[in-house]
Amino acid sequence: MDVNANTTIWPFDNPKITNAILGYLDCRSLRIAENVCLKWKKAIYDEHLWEEVYRRNMQLPDWKKLEQVLKLRNPDLFLFPSELEINHYKEACCHIEDTIKKLERNWARGIYTSSNYPTELTPPKKRTNEHIYFSMNESLIVSVSPTGRISTRNRWAPEEEHIAHLLPNKNIPIDNFDLHPMIESVQFNGDTFAAVGLVGTRKILFLFNAKEHSEPLLLRCSAWRGIENTAADSLYNFNQKNCIRLKDDVLVLCGKKQADSSTVVSVMNTRTKQSLYQNLEIPSRVGQLSDFTLDHWRIILFFGRKENPRLKQVDRYLLQIRDLASFTLLKSFVLPVTRSRVCHFDYSNGFAVTGSDDSPIRIWNVANGTCDGDFSHGGGSLFALKIIADRLIITSDYQGIIKLWNLKAATDLATRNNPSSLLLRTLDSPPSPYTKFRKVKTLALQADEFQVALILQHDAKPPQLYLVDFLANVLNDGELEKKTRQVRKRRQL
């Protein structure tokens, strides 16, 4: 009897079968499997296998965005070997995966670096509590002063500030070239930069492409649209804070009809510069628009209604979900937040989050209108809240103290009532750069999974940019203890 005839063939002896089996594994599993034996390591060394893993992972939003950010943050440290070298795709996969783990660990442990940067934006001579407008994309931070000047910074090298000016050309309707546009509100989405401002007496919506200008001091307008003439009896009033939102190629513009205070909504495609619909109205009996946002197929509108116009408190809040393409009402429900002056709102991937000073933070399932979780944000007035990467909730009070909350734990029945599972970290407020002005008059917050950006203004002093970076290097125990002592000492002062 031939012994070899009854011998079972090991699948990894066949390269085709090997690649077919290993092709189903993710990056982490491949890195573990290559340490099993030399035969597995040799099979996993195949560059075509890593190329497939790399291209498959680049379909994930986290991987694709992180690759872009790492290249912008430090190109010298993110130089992959030449594509002709066999380890190119493996090095790329391992580097991105390690950074994702490091980023999650930094958020959970509260490990970050922080920096304070003064601005050259001239504040008004009188003390003001005007809202600060700024936005950021993967590479830039753009802020607007009350005088209309635009400040641009590189997110990953923010030490140098540039004052941007709109370049007068045929795309901007300026009759007098000495009359520069006054930008009032800005928002980024990828490379599209939208702004609402004044040119003389005309309210104009500007669209820019951030890659069209080579110098940071000039912004070339790629399109514009007249909204209203403020010198005449205008039909609509556009609130600076709640005016524009961007998602991919879609821009939503919301305003208020002056005749009856109804909300008007217009939607346009920023790529084709064509309007999908204009000035569709929501009656004023629903309430006054407090905030709004959108995803790929829905517009989510947040209304507040006052039963007594003389009072500052809002008696009820209402959430409307409408179809983005047709503006058809899909769902509407009233929120149990009553007699509140300000209720903050954010939305991401089917979940809306609301919160105010006198009510807990609640997480709403937009699909069915139910509350999936709630928790108290603690002492201090709530200034802002934001959902980060569908995993975290960031809250800030009026002094800039930031708290990080676990979104998954807040919606899980097993952990939603456990405060230790909900609150991840509390980040200390930014140090005041002035000895006499410690109280923050106004601030604005933007955040993503890499950074938290605050712009703070103390009385009539120039505003300060404060950046919290979670892509910082991991601290060892000694450095972490030293940093903790420094924070405690500063809190005592």
Side-chain angles (χ1 to χ4, degrees):
M1 181 178 179
D2 190 359
V3 178
N4 294 331
N6 295 328
T7 302
T8 302
I9 299 177
W10 180 241
F12 285 90
D13 290 335
N14 189 328
K16 293 183 178 180
I17 299 178
T18 299
N19 290 337
I21 296 174
L22 296 176
Y24 289 102
L25 300 180
D26 57 13
C27 180
R28 179 175 178 273
S29 300
L30 285 175
R31 296 175 70 180
I32 295 175
E34 67 179 354
N35 295 322
V36 173
C37 63
L38 291 177
K39 186 169 288 188
W40 283 31
K41 185 174 183 180
K42 183 178 179 181
I44 295 173
Y45 190 70
D46 187 359
E47 179 67 4
H48 296 291
L49 177 64
W50 284 103
E51 181 180 0
E52 176 63 26
V53 174
Y54 174 81
R55 299 193 185 281
R56 187 173 65 240
N57 285 330
M58 281 300 114
Q59 304 300 318
L60 303 175
D62 290 347
W63 276 64
K64 186 174 182 179
K65 187 174 183 179
L66 182 57
E67 185 196 37
Q68 296 174 353
V69 167
L70 289 175
K71 289 180 178 179
L72 291 169
R73 179 182 173 88
N74 197 335
D76 295 335
L77 295 179
F78 201 68
L79 287 176
F80 293 145
S82 170
E83 292 189 5
L84 298 177
E85 297 186 22
I86 194 169
N87 286 327
H88 167 69
Y89 291 107
K90 181 181 178 181
E91 291 287 338
C93 289
C94 295
H95 188 68
I96 296 175
E97 185 190 45
D98 291 342
T99 306
I100 290 176
K101 292 181 180 178
K102 169 184 166 183
L103 191 61
E104 293 175 350
R105 184 167 58 249
N106 286 355
W107 276 99
R109 298 181 61 185
I111 300 174
Y112 61 92
T113 59
S114 59
S115 303
N116 212 344
Y117 303 98
T119 68
E120 297 178 6
L121 298 179
T122 305
K125 294 182 179 179
K126 62 179 181 179
R127 296 184 179 184
T128 179
N129 289 331
E130 292 186 14
H131 190 77
I132 301 172
Y133 302 102
F134 84 107
S135 185
M136 62 186 185
N137 65 356
E138 285 79 8
S139 58
L140 294 174
I141 296 177
V142 175
S143 58
V144 181
S145 72
T147 59
R149 290 195 303 169
I150 304 175
S151 166
T152 62
R153 292 179 187 265
N154 185 331
R155 274 186 68 177
W156 314 112
E159 297 81 9
E160 186 176 357
E161 179 186 23
H162 299 280
I163 303 300
H165 301 281
L166 293 178
L167 181 64
N169 56 40
K170 62 181 181 180
N171 289 325
I172 303 179
I174 301 178
D175 299 326
N176 182 358
F177 283 92
D178 294 331
L179 186 64
H180 287 278
M182 299 290 290
I183 301 299
E184 298 173 336
S185 182
V186 296
Q187 191 177 44
F188 256 124
N189 183 57
D191 295 327
T192 303
F193 170 40
V196 173
L198 283 172
V199 178
T201 60
R202 285 173 292 182
K203 185 85 76 172
I204 302 293
L205 169 66
F206 298 98
L207 292 177
F208 305 95
N209 190 321
K211 289 187 176 181
E212 283 191 358
H213 59 92
S214 57
E215 297 185 18
L217 300 181
L218 300 177
L219 291 173
R220 294 187 180 274
C221 182
S222 60
W224 66 273
R225 182 181 296 277
I227 300 175
E228 64 170 336
N229 191 328
T230 56
D233 295 330
S234 55
L235 294 175
Y236 308 112
N237 178 32
F238 289 86
N239 184 286
Q240 298 174 7
K241 180 174 181 287
N242 303 307
C243 190
I244 52 176
R245 296 292 184 270
L246 286 168
K247 184 69 174 181
D248 297 332
D249 294 331
V250 177
L251 182 145
V252 177
L253 178 67
C254 286
K256 183 172 68 174
K257 192 175 181 179
Q258 292 190 354
D260 56 4
S261 297
S262 61
T263 300
V264 291
V265 180
S266 301
V267 176
M268 70 174 293
N269 189 305
T270 58
R271 180 173 49 84
T272 62
K273 312 299 187 296
Q274 299 295 321
S275 294
L276 301 180
Y277 44 82
Q278 286 185 314
N279 301 333
L280 296 184
E281 297 186 11
I282 301 174
S284 58
R285 65 176 180 271
V286 174
Q288 297 300 308
L289 185 65
S290 177
D291 206 344
F292 71 101
T293 186
L294 67 154
D295 58 19
H296 295 289
W297 58 86
R298 291 172 292 199
I299 300 178
I300 297 90
L301 302 139
F302 188 52
F303 293 93
R305 180 179 174 85
K306 296 181 181 180
E307 301 296 340
N308 188 345
R310 296 181 179 179
L311 299 179
K312 294 182 179 180
Q313 288 81 5
V314 176
D315 293 283
R316 71 167 191 175
Y317 286 94
L318 180 140
L319 208 61
Q320 275 195 2
I321 299 95
R322 292 180 175 268
D323 183 79
L324 180 60
S326 63
F327 204 61
T328 304
L329 180 62
L330 302 177
K331 189 176 289 293
S332 176
F333 53 91
V334 177
L335 306 180
V337 182
T338 58
R339 309 295 295 175
S340 177
R341 184 175 180 180
V342 178
C343 186
H344 303 281
F345 161 81
D346 195 24
Y347 169 85
S348 178
N349 197 22
F351 286 98
V353 178
T354 61
S356 63
D357 295 343
D358 51 1
S359 67
I361 294 174
R362 292 184 171 95
I363 304 168
W364 302 92
N365 190 320
V366 170
N368 52 30
T370 60
C371 180
D372 286 0
D374 62 82
F375 57 90
S376 175
H377 56 82
S381 300
L382 181 66
F383 166 77
L385 56 83
K386 192 171 181 62
I387 302 175
I388 302 296
D390 299 330
R391 293 187 293 268
L392 300 168
I393 298 176
I394 287 182
T395 60
S396 172
D397 64 9
Y398 281 86
Q399 296 304 313
I401 297 178
I402 299 171
K403 293 183 179 181
L404 313 178
W405 307 86
N406 189 327
L407 176 58
K408 184 178 179 180
T411 56
D412 191 343
L413 290 173
T415 57
R416 65 169 60 177
N417 296 323
N418 185 359
S420 61
S421 300
L422 298 179
L423 181 60
L424 295 176
R425 290 289 168 181
T426 298
L427 309 185
D428 200 19
S429 59
S432 173
Y434 312 110
T435 56
K436 296 182 179 180
F437 301 101
R438 290 186 174 272
K439 187 176 180 180
V440 177
K441 291 296 183 180
T442 58
L443 65 93
L445 179 143
Q446 293 284 344
D448 58 17
E449 54 266 49
F450 311 111
Q451 286 181 335
V452 178
L454 287 170
I455 293 184
L456 307 97
Q457 186 166 348
H458 301 74
D459 286 340
K461 293 290 185 179
Q464 299 281 318
L465 171 65
Y466 182 73
L467 282 180
V468 176
D469 190 353
F470 286 92
L471 277 175
N473 292 327
V474 178
L475 302 178
N476 57 42
D477 294 337
E479 292 173 333
L480 188 59
E481 184 179 354
K482 180 180 179 181
K483 184 173 182 178
T484 303
R485 289 198 303 267
Q486 292 175 348
V487 170
R488 289 176 181 173
K489 183 178 181 180
R490 194 171 72 183
R491 286 180 178 176
Q492 292 175 356
L493 294 177

